[in-house]
Amino acid sequence: MKLANVLMVDDELNILNSYRRTLRNEFNFDLALSAQEALEHLSSNKKYAVIVTDMQMPEMNGLELLQKTMEVAPDTIRIMLTGNSDQETAVNAVNQGDVFRFITKPCDKETLIATIQAGVTQHNLLVAERVLLNRTLKGVINVLSEVLALVNPDAMENGTKMMEHMKSLAKVLKVPNSWIFEPMVQLSQLGCVIFPQETIKNMDSGVAISEEEKQLFAQHPCLASDLLRRIPRMEKVAENILYQEKCFNGEGIPMDDIKGTQIPLGARMLKVVIDFIRFEKQEQSTEKAYSLLEQQRQYYDPKILAAFKESLNIAVEVPTVIIELSKLKENMIINTNLLTTRNQLVARKGQKVTETLLHIIKHCLENKAIKGNVEVQIIENEE
């Protein structure tokens, strides 16, 4: 069994040497004679389950070290070991350093080992919980996205193109990488699942729709946001999706006082990208579509609009290839509508191949309900 990594910090060499004797064969540990040396260890590639530090040290005391540890190694469990048994030190250690345990010196071998082991157990629980939550959340997002593509393919037709534009725009804007970015784009059209496919087609092609349909469509961000808020950790995603149709000048849904840079950044980016894709489908020209954005520039963040124009210039066309249906793989992009022999839609142009879609296509092939080749884009995985 692999021993946990533990960092022991004290400014007295004889105490560190005693740790060396006491903890041998119990943990994989490193020793630091100062807070600065400890921070160097924490900033390395080595991950520590637990840090145990003395309180009274020159230049930077143990409490200050643990506060910095929260920033550079938030997953590391923090334990304070000190000769100061006064209540104020203990309270500060817990409240300001988010300390897991507070123990006083001198501390016997059994108590020290048991306390560190409790910290290791807590670390393992936190890491396991986060991994489970992240995988579960990602799974939920992928399932929702796939259900949308199957139930209402017209609503998700632009998903791949939207993701490409958003990624290019984020690069130009130098937006820091965030986990909420991909689900925000994937689920931005979640609320459209309630609309008839004919309504979506008419909206995309510029055909006039009824006033009732317009009012219903205007509410799709609110519906998506309400659904996503019920999922833990999706609050920021839900907020960005809620404001995706909100204009920079304050017009649009939701009808509140939020405008300008008060609108979440992701929503401001989505507004530009979604409108551009709509215009491009109607005008069949990138130049004309961007010109329409310029004509109603009061609706968009001027910095984002300028950055989007730049992102269009650097966009790279992905080459297409024609392959047999049986050779389709996950993450390929379908470049033409995929139909059954009875002319039923299996996958729409621009749809990403998923495990679920592969199962559907395999079933169709086995039953000879689909045949032939398909044109695809092969997208390399991004790290």
Side-chain angles (χ1 to χ4, degrees):
M1 182 177 178
K2 185 178 179 181
L3 298 179
N5 295 330
V6 177
L7 181 59
M8 309 296 296
V9 189
D10 200 297
D11 63 322
E12 295 185 32
L13 184 58
N14 63 322
I15 293 180
L16 291 183
N17 286 332
S18 71
Y19 291 154
R20 198 187 305 275
R21 294 188 298 270
T22 302
L23 303 178
R24 185 173 51 190
N25 300 326
E26 299 289 344
F27 306 101
N28 178 24
F29 60 90
D30 289 319
L31 306 176
L33 261 172
S34 67
Q36 187 58 46
E37 186 179 347
L39 289 173
E40 291 173 4
H41 280 291
L42 292 168
S43 299
S44 67
N45 292 328
K46 192 170 185 178
K47 304 300 181 184
Y48 292 94
V50 175
I51 178 174
V52 181
T53 181
D54 185 31
M55 175 62 183
Q56 298 300 332
M57 294 187 295
E59 297 181 4
M60 184 188 301
N61 64 34
L63 179 56
E64 293 169 327
L65 169 60
L66 293 184
Q67 289 174 318
K68 290 186 176 294
T69 300
M70 293 170 63
E71 300 174 6
V72 299
D75 290 338
T76 300
I77 300 301
R78 296 164 285 279
I79 295 175
M80 176 75 76
L81 180 63
T82 178
N84 294 328
S85 57
D86 62 282
Q87 183 178 2
E88 183 179 357
T89 299
V91 170
N92 288 338
V94 173
N95 292 342
Q96 298 178 36
D98 194 19
V99 172
F100 172 67
R101 292 285 172 84
F102 178 86
I103 51 179
T104 59
K105 295 192 292 185
C107 177
D108 59 78
K109 174 182 176 180
E110 289 74 19
T111 299
L112 180 59
I113 292 175
T115 302
I116 295 176
Q117 188 56 57
V120 171
T121 301
Q122 179 69 8
H123 171 266
N124 292 340
L125 286 173
L126 289 175
V127 171
E129 182 182 28
R130 190 184 69 242
V131 170
L132 177 62
L133 181 59
N134 287 342
R135 288 178 179 174
T136 302
L137 186 59
K138 187 174 182 179
V140 169
I141 292 168
N142 288 337
V143 168
L144 283 173
S145 181
E146 288 187 28
V147 168
L148 269 174
L150 294 172
V151 173
N152 198 335
D154 290 289
M156 297 301 291
E157 179 183 0
N158 303 321
T160 301
K161 184 174 290 188
M162 193 185 305
M163 184 69 75
E164 291 173 358
H165 280 307
M166 287 289 285
K167 286 181 177 179
S168 297
L169 180 55
K171 288 180 181 178
V172 175
L173 290 170
K174 297 180 180 179
V175 175
N177 188 30
S178 171
W179 74 269
I180 73 169
F181 185 85
E182 189 165 337
M184 176 185 70
V185 179
Q186 281 181 287
L187 302 177
S188 62
Q189 306 303 298
L190 176 61
C192 293
V193 71
I194 64 172
F195 303 136
Q197 294 191 21
E198 195 64 31
T199 300
I200 303 295
K201 289 179 180 178
N202 290 339
M203 285 283 297
D204 284 343
S205 61
V207 175
I209 60 176
S210 68
E211 191 62 35
E212 182 180 356
E213 286 177 314
K214 287 180 182 179
Q215 292 179 7
L216 187 62
F217 185 81
Q219 294 302 317
H220 86 83
C222 302
L223 174 60
S225 179
D226 288 343
L227 292 172
L228 293 175
R229 287 184 191 278
R230 301 180 185 183
I231 303 175
R233 298 183 66 190
M234 292 292 282
E235 292 83 5
K236 288 186 178 180
V237 175
E239 183 183 23
N240 277 277
I241 288 176
L242 174 63
Y243 284 95
Q244 64 179 295
E245 295 285 356
K246 185 75 169 181
C247 299
F248 195 69
N249 65 356
E251 296 180 25
I253 301 294
M255 299 177 65
D256 55 20
D257 295 331
I258 301 298
K259 63 180 180 179
T261 55
Q262 294 175 326
I263 302 171
L265 176 61
R268 283 178 273 148
M269 294 169 65
L270 279 172
K271 176 63 177 171
V272 172
V273 170
I274 290 173
D275 283 1
F276 173 79
I277 292 174
R278 287 175 185 160
F279 292 152
E280 190 176 38
K281 292 187 73 172
Q282 295 169 19
E283 297 294 333
Q284 301 297 317
S285 164
T286 298
E287 292 75 16
K288 289 182 179 179
Y290 184 79
S291 176
L292 288 175
L293 293 180
E294 289 278 10
Q295 290 175 29
Q296 53 183 40
R297 57 186 306 114
Q298 71 274 15
Y299 294 157
Y300 312 111
D301 183 330
K303 291 183 179 179
I304 292 178
L305 188 59
F308 183 69
K309 183 177 183 179
E310 184 178 343
S311 74
L312 290 175
N313 295 331
I314 65 173
V316 178
E317 288 292 329
V318 180
T320 62
V321 294
I322 297 176
I323 63 172
E324 296 177 17
L325 285 170
S326 60
K327 294 182 179 179
L328 277 173
K329 295 181 179 179
E330 288 186 52
N331 295 323
M332 289 181 175
I333 306 297
I334 303 291
N335 207 48
T336 55
N337 288 347
L338 187 58
L339 305 173
T340 67
T341 52
R342 294 185 177 182
N343 214 34
Q344 295 175 312
L345 183 66
V346 177
R348 184 168 289 283
K349 177 181 178 181
Q351 189 170 331
K352 180 181 288 188
V353 177
T354 63
E355 183 181 0
T356 303
L357 182 57
L358 285 177
H359 285 311
I360 293 173
I361 292 173
K362 181 181 178 181
H363 178 75
C364 291
L365 287 171
E366 290 173 350
N367 289 277
K368 298 182 180 180
I370 194 172
K371 59 183 180 179
N373 302 324
V374 62
E375 184 179 359
V376 298
Q377 297 176 2
I378 300 177
I379 308 295
E380 295 185 5
N381 292 331
E382 295 186 9
E383 299 295 333

